[in-house]
Amino acid sequence: MTRTKRFFNAIAVGIIFCICCLFCGCAKAEGTYKFSKMSYTENGILVELEAGEKFMGMMTLSEDFMVLTLNADGTATLKINSDGEETLTGTWKMVDSKNIELMFGESQTCVFDGKTITLDMDGTTISLKK
C-alpha cells in the first residue's frame, strides 16, 4: 500500500511540475522594446541597418530611435526619435502565441517571438528587442 501511494504521489508531482514548466515557458509580451535593426530595399538594393550604425553617413540610429512600450492593461506607447520626438498612444493585444496586434490609428499585426517584435511598415522591416 505504501509503495502504491509513493508511486501515485511521484506521478502527481511530475504532472504538477510539467504544468508549471508549461506556464512558466509562456512569454509575456508586456515591457519595453527598443530598436534593434531595420531593413528595406532602395533602388533594388537591400539596405540593412543595426542600432549604433550611421544612417546615410549623417546620423547614428541608437536603440532610442524607436521605443515601444506594451503595458499590462492593453495600452501601448510608441516613441520615434528621428527629426524630433513623436509619441503615439494606442492599444495592443496578443493574436496568438506568435503575433501581436498593435493599434495606433489603424491595426497592424506584428511577429512576436518572446523577446523581439518585428514590424513591417510599407516595405521596411523593423525589429525591436526587449
Side-chain angles (χ1 to χ4, degrees):
M1 186 74 169
T2 309
R3 288 177 94 189
T4 305
K5 284 183 182 179
R6 285 185 187 165
F7 176 74
F8 285 115
N9 283 340
I11 289 177
V13 168
I15 290 172
I16 291 170
F17 177 75
C18 289
I19 290 171
C20 289
C21 289
L22 176 69
F23 287 113
C24 291
C26 296
K28 291 188 178 187
E30 296 90 10
T32 302
Y33 297 82
K34 294 187 173 192
F35 175 75
S36 173
K37 61 183 175 179
M38 172 174 43
S39 63
Y40 63 95
T41 303
E42 185 175 336
N43 297 327
I45 299 171
L46 179 65
V47 178
E48 294 180 323
L49 300 166
E50 292 193 23
E53 288 185 355
K54 284 200 178 224
F55 178 64
M56 300 176 107
M58 294 184 284
M59 62 186 259
T60 301
L61 297 178
S62 70
E63 288 181 335
D64 294 326
F65 167 68
M66 185 178 284
V67 179
L68 175 66
T69 303
L70 303 178
N71 300 311
D73 65 356
T75 59
T77 305
L78 179 64
K79 291 183 181 178
I80 303 170
N81 298 308
S82 56
D83 292 334
E85 185 175 304
E86 180 182 354
T87 302
L88 304 172
T89 56
T91 60
W92 72 278
K93 68 178 180 178
M94 291 291 295
V95 175
D96 54 37
S97 63
K98 296 185 181 198
N99 293 296
I100 291 177
E101 182 180 74
L102 297 175
M103 190 76 140
F104 295 106
E106 59 182 69
S107 175
Q108 180 178 8
T109 302
C110 307
V111 178
F112 173 68
D113 71 0
K115 296 220 183 260
T116 305
I117 294 177
T118 305
L119 303 110
D120 190 17
M121 301 166 59
D122 300 324
T124 300
T125 303
I126 299 173
S127 295
L128 306 171
K129 282 193 178 182
K130 203 170 202 180

